[in-house]
Amino acid sequence: MSAPKPFTIDVPQSKIDRLRQKLSLAEFPDQLEGAAWDLGCPLADIKRLATAWKQWDWRQAEKKLNEHPHFHTDIEVDGFGSLNIHFLHQKSEVQGAIPLLFVHGWPGSFIEVLKILPLLAQHDGSNHPAFHVVAPSLPNFGFSQGVSKRGFALAQYAETCHKLMLQLGYKEYVTQAGDWGFWITRAIGKLYPESCKASHINMIYAKAPSYTQNPLLALQHSVYPYSERDKQGLERTAWFQKESRGYNLLQSTKPQTISYALHDSPIALLSWIYEKLHDWADAYPWTDDEIFTWISIYQFSRAGPGTAHRIYYEVMHTSVTEENDVQGKMCTYDSLQSYNGDVKMGLSYNPKELDIVPRVWGRTLGDVVYEAENERGG
C-alpha cells in the first residue's frame, strides 16, 4: 500500500481553452413569457453566467484551492481494485484533537468544508474540541478516480472512506455529513462501529417511529402534536418531493443518458447545478467566483462531469437477498434508517434542507446525544 502523497490541482490548459470555446459557441433556448424559477433557471441568468464564466480565471481559483493541504492515495476496494483518492487533510495543532471525516454529497465536493476548516482545527477556549479534518473527494467526484464497474454503492463508498481513515492512522474517528454523506456515514456506522464513534448529521432522513421498532418514540409521536416548526419542515419536504425532485428520478434511473449532456455541454452542467445552488440554499448570496469554482470542480473533475451522479442509480438498485447478504452487510436506504445504538449521534435541523423531519423522527436513527434547531441554513 502506497503512502499518501501531496497533491496539487493543476488542470491542463487545453481543458480550460476547450471550456471557453464551448461557452463561446453556446446556443440558448427561448423561454415562456412570465417564466420564473418555478420552471428552472431563468434564461437571462444562464446567459449572464455563461458570459462571465468564459471570462473568469480558473487559475486564480486553482491557486486559492491549492493553499489548502491536498493529498492523494490508493485505496483498495473489495471487488473494484485500487482507486486513487483525493482528499484534504487539515491536522490540528491542538493536543488531543479528534479525527473528523467530512463527507460531501451531490452536487457538492470537498469545497464545502473550506470555510470552516480553520474553525474545526482550532480550539476557541470553550469546551468545543478541535479536529483533524479529512475531507475526501468521493470516487467519481472531484479529483478522485472514477469507478469503471457497476455496483459501486453505499457499502463501497463507506469502505473507501473508512480505509482512508485507517491509512492515515485514525483507528477511531467521528463523522460529519449531509445529503449522500448522510447515507455513507450511516453505512460506516453500520459496517465499522468499532471505529466510527459518533456522527453529526445536518440533513436527516428518518421515518416516523413505529410501535414495532420504536414503541416509546411512537407513543410520544402519537400523544404530542407537531410544533409549528415541525409543520413548516414537513411543508418544505412536500414542496421538494413535488416540485424539485425530478433530477433525482432521472439520475436514479437513466444516469448514462444525462451523462452525454453534462459531459459535453458546460451550459447543461451550469444550469443543472446552479438551479440547485439557488433553490436549496437559504437565500445565500452566491458570488460568481463561488459559483464558478463550485461548478468548475465538476467541469474539470478527473472522471469527467458526467459521472458523479451515478451514485443515485447504484444505490437505488441495491437489493438485499439471502444470497448476497449472508453477513448482513448490505447497505440500503431502509437498512440505514434502522436504529443503530453503537454510534452516538448529533442532529442539526436547518430550515432550508430538502428533507426536514420532526425531531422525534430523527431519534429513531440511534442514540441521539445532541440536537440543534438552527434559525437559518440548508
Side-chain angles (χ1 to χ4, degrees), residues 73-88:
T73 192
D74 294 329
I75 301 292
E76 191 76 22
V77 182
D78 293 345
F80 292 86
S82 180
L83 294 176
N84 189 257
I85 302 300
H86 158 261
F87 61 99
L88 288 173

Side-chain angles (χ1 to χ4, degrees), residues 282-319:
D282 189 3
Y284 179 78
W286 294 97
T287 66
D288 283 0
D289 190 63
E290 288 174 319
I291 294 168
F292 298 146
T293 302
W294 192 290
I295 295 174
S296 294
I297 289 173
Y298 277 79
Q299 177 67 32
F300 299 135
S301 65
R302 180 172 176 178
T307 59
H309 62 275
R310 288 174 180 165
I311 186 174
Y312 286 82
Y313 181 92
E314 298 296 354
V315 175
M316 195 184 85
H317 291 81
T318 300
S319 59

Side-chain angles (χ1 to χ4, degrees), residues 2-61:
S2 61
K5 298 177 181 178
F7 177 85
T8 300
I9 302 170
D10 186 15
V11 173
Q13 186 61 40
S14 60
K15 287 191 173 184
I16 300 172
D17 294 342
R18 192 178 305 120
L19 168 63
R20 288 174 174 160
Q21 181 184 32
K22 288 186 173 183
L23 290 170
S24 296
L25 297 172
E27 296 184 6
F28 298 90
D30 64 359
Q31 69 177 15
L32 298 175
E33 293 183 10
W37 277 102
D38 60 325
L39 296 181
C41 294
L43 179 59
D45 289 57
I46 296 303
K47 281 187 172 182
R48 186 195 70 78
L49 287 169
T51 298
W53 195 11
K54 181 176 62 176
Q55 300 166 348
W56 178 72
D57 188 355
W58 161 255
R59 293 301 184 199
Q60 289 300 312

Side-chain angles (χ1 to χ4, degrees), residues 168-279:
L168 295 173
Y170 300 135
K171 295 182 179 180
E172 296 182 343
Y173 54 86
V174 299
T175 68
Q176 152 60 33
D179 193 70
W180 277 114
F182 167 89
W183 300 105
I184 293 168
T185 57
R186 289 290 290 172
I188 290 173
K190 175 182 178 179
L191 300 175
Y192 313 107
E194 71 284 355
S195 293
C196 184
K197 296 303 177 182
S199 290
H200 181 265
I201 297 166
N202 62 270
M203 191 170 178
I204 301 150
Y205 296 100
K207 298 177 181 178
S210 67
Y211 281 101
T212 56
Q213 299 294 323
N214 324 95
L216 292 179
L217 290 175
L219 178 61
Q220 180 182 349
H221 183 245
S222 65
V223 171
Y224 294 101
Y226 289 144
S227 67
E228 193 59 34
R229 181 165 180 137
D230 289 338
K231 294 176 183 177
Q232 292 172 356
L234 292 172
E235 288 175 2
R236 168 78 172 174
T237 304
W239 165 82
F240 171 70
Q241 293 294 330
K242 181 181 178 182
E243 301 289 351
S244 195
R245 196 171 177 270
Y247 79 96
N248 191 306
L249 296 176
L250 181 56
Q251 294 181 171
S252 297
T253 54
K254 300 295 180 184
Q256 187 63 28
T257 300
I258 194 175
S259 289
Y260 300 113
L262 299 180
H263 189 92
D264 185 63
S265 171
I267 298 298
L269 182 70
L270 170 64
S271 58
W272 197 244
I273 294 181
Y274 179 58
E275 174 200 288
K276 283 69 177 176
L277 298 182
H278 174 273
D279 286 359

